[in-house]
Amino acid sequence: AQKVTQAQTEISVVEKEDVTLDCVYETRDTTYYLFWYKQPPSGELVFLIRRNSFDEQNEISGRYSWNFQKSTSSFNFTITASQVVDSAVYFCALSEANTGGFKTIFGAGTRLFVKA
Amino acid sequence: DVKVTQSSRYLVKRTGEKVFLECVQDMDHENMFWYRQDPGLGLRLIYFSYDVKMKEKGDIPEGYSVSREKKERFSLILESASTNQTSMYLCASRIFSGNHNEQFFGPGTRLTVL
């Protein structure tokens, strides 16, 4: 069965600090996709990144970076030099190719507070 | 840009009422989804539709039904609302093309059932 665990319920940092959001997943499928979404206070989830199981390259996009490690089943998300606008709930998600990608499992989310 | 809209941001209904939540997307996406979001539980899939008039149960379909008569519109129906259906409801759409299977979400409807 597929499962996504975001152990950090809430994180509070001061602006300009670096912060890492953890995500651990479980799956029996060999082909799967991992995602991160951001949900700002407005409520609309915004897609940040997708990673497929064959691509373990880490990715950097501006202040955001992602570390995908199949050996530990983790897909962690780091924000460098955090800003107040980064305050949001962040969801990690997993979908397996054998479901046609139709059943995406979301973690419980991590609420990030960035204080000025 | 993909635009997914939901008919209401906030809705208050009484127990036993029939409730319709509407979702419209403007990008000709084949797949559409309804989730509910509850604190500590993340998003849970209620129903999805992979094409017009096609629907499949998700993980928590009990107490809900859906309708997809047109490609752009996916409706969630609560036949007889109950207090345990008080939640945030999120609609999403997706084009499934190779690896491009991220979902695009609407702003959500916060439903309160009294």
Side-chain angles (χ1 to χ4, degrees):
Chain A
Q2 49 179 334
K3 184 179 178 182
V4 176
T5 302
Q6 294 180 256
Q8 304 148 309
T9 306
E10 289 186 1
I11 300 175
S12 183
V13 299
V14 176
E15 211 170 18
K16 297 183 183 175
E17 280 187 41
D18 298 346
V19 58
T20 296
L21 310 182
D22 297 332
C23 174
V24 174
Y25 64 92
E26 293 177 29
T27 178
R28 293 180 182 173
D29 205 349
T30 56
T31 302
Y32 53 89
Y33 303 90
L34 296 164
F35 306 84
W36 275 96
Y37 288 87
K38 174 183 180 179
Q39 186 179 39
S42 60
E44 184 172 330
L45 269 79
V46 176
F47 165 74
L48 295 178
I49 189 172
R50 175 193 65 252
R51 207 20 123 225
N52 73 48
S53 52
F54 296 104
D55 183 3
E56 277 194 81
Q57 277 193 334
N58 293 329
E59 181 151 340
I60 298 174
S61 175
R63 295 183 297 106
Y64 294 173
S65 62
W66 291 269
N67 183 0
F68 175 30
Q69 292 197 341
K70 288 177 77 170
S71 60
T72 56
S73 298
S74 64
F75 186 42
N76 296 338
F77 172 30
T78 297
I79 301 174
T80 302
S82 60
Q83 300 177 2
V84 172
V85 293
D86 296 326
S87 297
V89 181
Y90 292 87
F91 291 96
C92 180
L94 162 73
S95 95
E96 296 173 334
N98 67 10
T99 67
F102 287 109
K103 291 196 174 183
T104 302
I105 297 297
F106 288 79
T110 297
R111 184 177 296 275
L112 174 65
F113 295 99
V114 181
K115 296 178 284 189
Chain B
D1 281 352
V2 176
K3 190 72 173 178
V4 180
T5 57
Q6 295 183 228
S7 50
S8 305
R9 290 301 303 270
Y10 300 93
L11 208 53
V12 179
K13 296 292 182 181
R14 296 209 173 271
T15 302
E17 279 192 74
K18 190 168 186 176
V19 181
F20 294 87
L21 303 183
E22 305 285 342
C23 175
V24 177
Q25 50 95 2
D26 66 359
M27 283 300 291
D28 205 35
H29 285 173
E30 291 85 5
N31 306 157
M32 296 187 75
F33 305 81
W34 274 107
Y35 295 89
R36 64 176 281 176
Q37 180 182 0
D38 299 289
L41 297 178
L43 278 71
R44 292 179 292 165
L45 181 63
I46 304 171
Y47 268 95
F48 64 94
S49 168
Y50 49 90
D51 209 339
V52 178
K53 296 191 186 294
M54 310 303 280
K55 58 187 179 184
E56 293 286 341
K57 293 179 180 179
D59 298 317
I60 52 164
E62 297 77 21
Y64 303 94
S65 62
V66 290
S67 171
R68 193 161 179 210
E69 296 297 317
K70 294 184 177 180
K71 192 173 188 178
E72 67 271 17
R73 187 180 298 269
F74 191 35
S75 303
L76 179 69
I77 303 155
L78 288 66
E79 294 289 342
S80 177
S82 63
T83 54
N84 63 12
Q85 292 178 310
T86 292
S87 186
M88 169 72 92
Y89 290 88
L90 294 166
C91 175
S93 73
R94 182 188 74 174
I95 184 168
F96 191 90
S97 174
N99 290 333
H100 301 285
N101 57 350
E102 63 269 24
Q103 296 177 42
F104 296 88
F105 284 84
T109 296
R110 187 168 293 282
L111 172 67
T112 301
V113 183
L114 302 176

